[in-house]
């Protein structure tokens, strides 16, 4: 399996979509000899799908085509060199993945054929077992929680522990504590902006463009910050690369 | 109908649960001769339910009992003088309202018997047609969107237009714009901290303890800020009190 799970698509450090992680993405594409990226941009409104693919292709210097350009989206997955899922609204994205019947085809492509999967923000959320740790509003009329489950733990992308003065709503830490209280046997991996997890075969690596750590949340435990993937050894089948 | 829909339960201005709106809540309770408040605290974990009721009762100087103290929650609704729904996780709250079969009993109590309904944060979300504009994470394994529909438009509580420096996730305005793009025929009423809507019979009033306005979001329109309920005339069956 080749997974790149990124907290976010754009960061102030480096212009362009995935600019902050461009070296890592391009290196993966070169290693897997990817000629063309298949982009699933369902998290944004339809009128933006082609623009998102063009933006991605220009930023990475590789052809990128939105899946809606193919007559049969399942066939497009089956023929894909690389599957990229971009950010936006996680609910809309997950709903359309299910409606178009893409869950199992993507799982097979990634798990059985080793097709690289690169997902950021909403595209990172749907790579986990469910979208229960999304930050997005459930704007759709349907609510579907199970997702691709390529990564075996919930991830919370765009993680931040700052809060806005005067705001009385829950902080992110409080929301994640609620998740853990309701689901005490589960862990949540919280990824800050400009950070990522890379799974390559049997190994897992953590990297942050800002030199920051990630956190792990579990009910009854104080969340801790980590600078490398070592603590993921107990939570995933992957071997940490530290 | 007597509804008090509040953005939040606690604010820095005034100590105690609902302290910032205490005069208004107490005045409503006096007018309706409420002897005892029935609290639905399902939005927080079960071990906190009694504590939340005690905190509410002490803050308002009125007896408050959590609904789980009654053998039959539907019967408790049917006998209630006043129904209060507190904040926490909107998903958990709405799931339990449906599981315990309380949706129709609450609708009848409020609409037909004129029982006062006071809801803040999650308790404000569930008073609208659905929880599609909650800020909370869908931490539960079930995802139920339809809610009480006592108020005919979606509300976004804890509304804020500030954002945290360096955060690349969506702003609240972007999330609400996503809702409107997916649901172009609907409006969202965005309530800032320490602000409320009060429906009393045929009239509706807006009030903010901070002297701030509320916003209305609609697809294709620039969100505008309003200081009184006048613009709600076109969006609700109520007559604005300005």
């Amino acid at each position: 399996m080749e997974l790149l799970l990124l907290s976010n698509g754009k960061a102030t450090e480096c212009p362009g979509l995935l600019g902050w992680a461009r070296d890592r993405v391009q290196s993966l594409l070169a290693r897997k000899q990817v000629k063309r990226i298949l982009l699933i941009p369902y998290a944004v409104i339809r009128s933006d799908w082609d623009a998102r693919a063009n933006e991605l292709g220009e930023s990475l210097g590789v052809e990128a085509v939105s899946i809606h350009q193919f007559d049969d989206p399942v066939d497009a997955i089956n023929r894909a060199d690389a599957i990229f899922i971009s950010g936006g609204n996680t609910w809309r994205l997950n709903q359309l993945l299910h409606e178009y019947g893409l869950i199992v085809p993507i799982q097979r492509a990634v798990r059985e054929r080793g097709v690289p999967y690169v997902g950021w923000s909403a595209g990172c959320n749907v790579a986990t077992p469910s979208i229960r740790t999304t930050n997005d509003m459930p704007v759709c009329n349907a609510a579907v929680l199970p997702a691709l489950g390529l990564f075996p733990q919930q991830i919370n992308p765009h993680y931040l522990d700052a809060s806005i003065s005067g705001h009385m709503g829950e902080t992110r830490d409080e929301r994640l504590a609620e998740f853990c209280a309701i689901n005490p046997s589960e862990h949540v991996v919280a990824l800050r902006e400009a950070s990522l997890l890379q799974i390559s075969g049997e190994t897992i690596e953590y990297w942050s463009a800002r030199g920051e750590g990630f956190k792990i949340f579990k009910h009854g435990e104080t969340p801790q910050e980590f600078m490398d993937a070592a603590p993921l050894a107990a939570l995933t089948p992957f071997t940490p690369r530290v």
Side-chain angles (χ1 to χ4, degrees), chain A residues 157-228:
Chain A
H158 300 290
Y159 173 73
L160 77 179
D161 40 18
S163 65
I164 294 171
S165 171
H167 178 55
M168 302 304 294
E170 284 90 343
T171 62
R172 186 71 61 84
D173 281 14
E174 287 167 342
R175 296 187 195 289
L176 292 172
E178 284 171 5
F179 176 87
C180 295
I182 299 285
N183 305 283
S185 67
E186 299 188 53
H187 294 74
V188 183
V189 178
L191 290 182
R192 295 179 191 279
E193 303 296 3
S195 73
L196 60 82
L197 292 174
Q198 180 158 19
I199 289 94
S200 186
E202 310 287 303
T203 66
I204 183 167
E205 186 178 6
Y206 169 76
W207 181 72
S208 161
R210 298 178 180 175
E212 296 175 327
F214 68 97
K215 282 191 186 171
I216 297 177
F217 287 77
K218 172 96 169 63
H219 185 58
E221 298 177 10
T222 304
Q224 284 191 61
E225 184 129 7
F226 302 99
M227 297 304 296
D228 64 50

Side-chain angles (χ1 to χ4, degrees), chain A residues 3 8 10 30 33 39 52 67 74 87 93 104 126 128 133-134 137 147 152-153 156 158 167 176 186 212 218 228 241:
Chain A
L3 303 181
N8 52 302
K10 290 186 185 175
Q33 299 179 299
L39 176 68
R52 189 58 54 100
I67 191 167
V74 172
L93 167 61
V104 172
V126 297
T128 76
T133 50
T134 178
M137 266 182 209
Q153 301 289 348
N156 178 242
H158 300 290
H167 178 55
L176 292 172
E186 299 188 53
E212 296 175 327
K218 172 96 169 63
D228 64 50
R241 191 187 296 154

